[in-house]
Amino acid sequence: MSKNTSSSAFRRIDVDQFNEDNFKDEAELPAHGEAGSPAASQLDSGPIMSLIQGGQPAEALKTILAHAPMGSTKAQEEKDAALQLVLKVLLSVKQQSQVENLVKQLDNDQRDTLMKYIYRGFETPSEGSSAHLLLWHEKVYEVAGVGSIVRVLSDRTKV
Amino acid sequence: MKTIYTFGGVAPLTCHAFSADQRQIALSKNNNQVEIHEQSGSGPNGDKFALKDTLDQHDLRVNGIDWAPQTNRIVTCSADRNAYVWTQQPNGTWKHTLVLLRINRAATCVKWSPKENKFAIGSGARLISICYFEADNDWWLAKHVKKPIKSTITALDWHPNNCLVAAGSSDFKVRVFSGYVKDIEDKPSPTPWGSKMPFAHLMTEFSNSLHGGGWVHAVSFSADGTKLAWAGHDSSLSVADATKGLTIFKLKTAHLPLLSCLWVSPSTIIAAGHDCTPLVFNVDGAGQVSFVSKLEEDKKGDGGPAKFSAKALFQNKDRTGQSEVADTVLNTTHQNQISCIQIVKGNKDRADVISTSGGDGKLVLWDLRTIEKQMKGLKL
């Protein structure tokens, strides 16, 4: 007779791993097509910080967005560091007209990536950051439409 | 010009298909029945449809209907894992024949091949059943296309050569398979998609996006079969061209996701989805896809606030004690998502009338020729 226990540990066993034709996300595979692309190179915070301080937020933003670490092959620390950099840029731009200008300078893919960072920025609010991010959200939405929000939701490679 | 039809009740229309003479329509109201409605009178527009027959054989929700124009047969598939081919008897009633699909999940979509000697059914069992009639045993047999499909097939379309079939899937991939059944047809001639076509051969595979990019909702071959368009859940519309080395052009739209897309001319795609209105896209000679316009102009100044205002909402609440804003009507013809687009008159080379149906239970016929005249700068 088996013993009746209150243990529920068996519920946490990942039974799917024993299914041989279990769906595997391609992004999780190490040999992903993006490995050799510039996106794989390390994001260097030094030059970006000097761009921000030098009053060139547009250049800084474009550089980060072009090299944004995405997907599960990237370490979480790297992504967090990139998020902090993006937030620094976003919060350093104070004026509404300047925000509009910056958003217009980006291309469609960069706007989609920026939208991802805005939503991630909402996850970890700091003093006054959310209000300012809402302004960015509004401006990106004006240009890229609901499509960019849908792509934040549907993309499986998180920033 | 557009004509709106309703079929009683407010139930969503899962899918619909027209008969060859456009006088009859087979549709499912999100349940296990297929209703056949017939138009009375002579005019193509304005006459109401009246219920003529109900095809009641499925146990669960009907997911797909297709009406073969030349042979006048209807095929239906459903979440009960079955498909039936319906043939009309001399007295007008419909007789059903069960198709042996051999699947263990719901059938999701169905399409007759251009020559109507076989049809393809996609299913949640991660396979496509290519079904053909075997005269010896008097039944419909299915051959399976399995590899390398990793998830549910959500959409299907046949190449005009009657052999290749494109499948969109919820594993974010679009694949082109060979559906050549050597028992019933001659060897196909080479196409830009490849020259060797043994059954179930994977001709090519496209990823909707490097970043996953959501389910593929719809696929459509162009009239000449060289281009393949698909719509994904990341609000994108992509076109791959087999004559240009299978290059993909992906347009990320600023709209809500598209659920259905269709070629209406060699350079025009009409797509619709959660935005509740059909959108026109242009594909130029270089293969670039661009958004042209909506198929209907926004109704403005019809009374009622066009823009939602939080201030007005609370003012209203305060003044009247009601929390509802009076205006919940969308300024589009459809009041809910459009899930199905079909060509009613014409073909993929030049469609004259298309029909849309969706979550609001409406069926709308769009006369593209008059719309083209009404809307300046719109070429269809």
Side-chain angles (χ1 to χ4, degrees):
Chain A
M1 279 283 279
S2 63
K3 228 188 277 176
N4 191 5
T5 65
S6 58
S7 164
S8 61
F10 68 94
R11 292 193 186 278
R12 278 186 276 277
I13 299 173
D14 179 15
V15 289
D16 283 338
Q17 64 175 319
F18 300 110
N19 185 356
E20 54 186 32
D21 51 17
N22 184 22
F23 181 78
K24 279 194 189 66
D25 214 338
E26 255 176 44
E28 283 176 22
L29 302 174
H32 194 245
E34 284 183 12
S37 67
S41 64
Q42 282 281 329
L43 199 59
D44 201 353
S45 64
I48 291 164
M49 286 309 290
S50 58
L51 279 173
I52 300 172
Q53 278 148 12
Q56 291 175 291
E59 293 309 311
L61 196 56
K62 277 181 201 167
T63 318
I64 308 174
L65 294 181
H67 299 269
M70 283 194 275
S72 48
T73 52
K74 299 284 177 191
Q76 193 57 43
E77 297 83 51
E78 204 182 325
K79 289 187 195 175
D80 290 342
L83 173 70
Q84 290 314 318
L85 274 177
V86 175
L87 288 180
K88 267 205 186 88
V89 180
L90 297 188
L91 298 179
S92 74
V93 181
K94 297 282 181 227
Q95 268 164 14
Q96 196 166 330
S97 58
Q98 213 181 344
V99 172
E100 261 172 57
N101 257 332
L102 266 176
V103 171
K104 274 181 197 144
Q105 282 177 38
L106 302 175
D107 66 25
N108 273 330
D109 288 335
Q110 289 170 333
R111 277 193 283 264
D112 286 348
T113 315
L114 178 58
M115 200 55 136
K116 286 186 186 176
Y117 278 114
I118 293 173
Y119 275 97
R120 260 213 80 191
F122 286 141
E123 285 174 23
T124 49
S126 59
E127 181 74 41
S129 74
S130 290
H132 197 65
L133 285 177
L134 274 173
L135 172 70
W136 274 93
H137 184 277
E138 184 191 326
K139 297 302 169 198
V140 177
Y141 171 76
E142 269 173 20
V143 181
V146 282
S148 68
I149 300 173
V150 171
R151 283 187 281 278
V152 172
L153 298 171
S154 66
D155 253 351
R156 292 170 68 84
T157 47
K158 305 278 181 240
V159 292
Chain B
M1 198 182 73
K2 60 186 183 243
T3 325
I4 304 164
Y5 297 100
T6 51
F7 299 91
V10 288
L13 299 184
T14 322
C15 47
H16 72 272
F18 274 92
S19 65
D21 61 357
Q22 301 122 31
R23 321 252 340 137
Q24 294 183 64
I25 181 173
L27 52 89
S28 177
K29 289 176 181 168
N30 205 25
N31 58 15
N32 64 333
Q33 292 177 331
V34 176
E35 292 181 4
I36 295 184
H37 292 251
E38 191 179 33
Q39 222 170 19
S40 54
S42 54
N45 299 317
D47 288 330
K48 281 222 165 66
F49 281 95
L51 181 64
K52 198 189 168 208
D53 219 336
T54 304
L55 312 183
D56 189 3
Q57 198 60 223
H58 286 293
D59 296 326
L60 292 171
R61 198 178 95 118
V62 173
N63 281 332
I65 306 172
D66 202 14
W67 199 321
Q70 296 148 42
T71 50
N72 194 33
R73 291 183 292 200
I74 301 173
V75 58
T76 59
C77 72
S78 147
D80 64 3
R81 299 167 296 158
N82 285 327
Y84 292 99
V85 175
W86 304 80
T87 43
Q88 200 163 22
Q89 302 301 301
N91 65 358
T93 57
W94 292 88
K95 181 177 163 266
H96 64 268
T97 317
L98 179 70
V99 184
L100 302 169
L101 289 179
R102 299 184 287 127
I103 54 176
N104 57 2
R105 297 282 190 279
T108 51
C109 48
V110 61
K111 267 270 163 56
W112 280 104
S113 74
K115 283 186 188 151
E116 300 173 13
N117 56 350
K118 54 188 177 179
F119 55 85
I121 287 189
S123 67
R126 299 186 296 198
L127 55 86
I128 305 168
S129 304
I130 307 282
C131 308
Y132 61 100
F133 191 71
E134 207 192 45
D136 295 350
N137 291 316
D138 189 30
W139 64 17
W140 288 87
L141 264 186
K143 281 187 153 194
H144 285 172
V145 179
K146 275 185 187 158
K147 278 180 180 167
I149 303 167
K150 295 198 192 74
S151 189
T152 303
I153 299 293
T154 51
L156 286 168
D157 198 27
W158 283 91
H159 188 274
N161 78 348
N162 206 48
C163 276
L164 298 181
V165 60
S169 167
S170 52
D171 57 8
F172 323 130
K173 294 278 198 301
V174 176
R175 300 182 179 92
V176 179
F177 290 104
S178 167
Y180 161 58
V181 181
K182 67 169 185 282
D183 309 355
I184 57 162
E185 56 196 345
D186 298 332
K187 220 170 181 184
S189 48
T191 66
W193 300 96
S195 46
K196 278 203 168 168
M197 294 179 230
F199 179 78
H201 181 64
L202 177 68
M203 309 301 288
T204 181
E205 181 180 78
F206 302 109
S207 204
N208 184 33
S209 156
L210 281 175
H211 315 301
W215 294 9
V216 177
H217 286 300
V219 290
S220 180
F221 269 114
S222 64
D224 60 359
T226 57
K227 293 194 195 88
L228 180 66
W230 70 85
H233 196 74
D234 56 349
S235 293
S236 69
L237 183 74
S238 309
V239 174
D241 194 334
T243 58
K244 293 193 179 84
L246 301 174
T247 48
I248 306 172
F249 188 86
K250 177 169 175 153
L251 175 73
K252 293 177 179 171
T253 70
H255 303 275
L256 290 175
L258 303 162
L259 295 176
S260 188
C261 65
L262 193 67
W263 292 83
V264 294
S265 87
S267 61
T268 314
I269 301 171
I270 289 187
H274 291 289
D275 258 348
C276 310
T277 184
L279 309 171
V280 182
F281 294 91
N282 179 59
V283 184
D284 68 10
Q288 303 258 334
V289 189
S290 56
F291 172 61
V292 181
S293 76
K294 292 179 179 175
L295 204 54
E296 57 185 342
E297 274 155 1
D298 288 337
K299 289 178 223 154
K300 271 181 194 147
D302 280 7
K307 236 184 164 182
F308 177 79
S309 150
K311 190 183 171 198
L313 173 84
F314 287 108
Q315 256 175 2
N316 222 28
K317 240 181 178 173
D318 185 41
R319 211 173 287 149
T320 62
Q322 285 173 334
S323 59
E324 275 165 73
V325 185
D327 189 22
T328 54
V329 181
L330 300 175
N331 60 359
T332 52
T333 308
H334 276 289
Q335 293 297 305
N336 205 325
Q337 65 169 40
I338 297 173
S339 51
C340 182
I341 309 183
Q342 304 279 356
I343 294 179
V344 183
K345 263 184 210 164
N347 51 38
K348 281 179 176 176
D349 236 348
R350 184 181 164 85
D352 292 324
V353 180
I354 61 164
S355 60
T356 56
S357 71
D360 57 354
K362 278 184 194 162
L363 176 89
V364 181
L365 294 192
W366 308 79
D367 188 334
L368 300 183
R369 297 281 87 81
T370 54
I371 290 172
E372 196 175 17
K373 274 180 213 150
Q374 281 166 2
M375 291 175 76
K376 280 173 202 159
L378 187 65
K379 272 249 169 263
L380 293 169

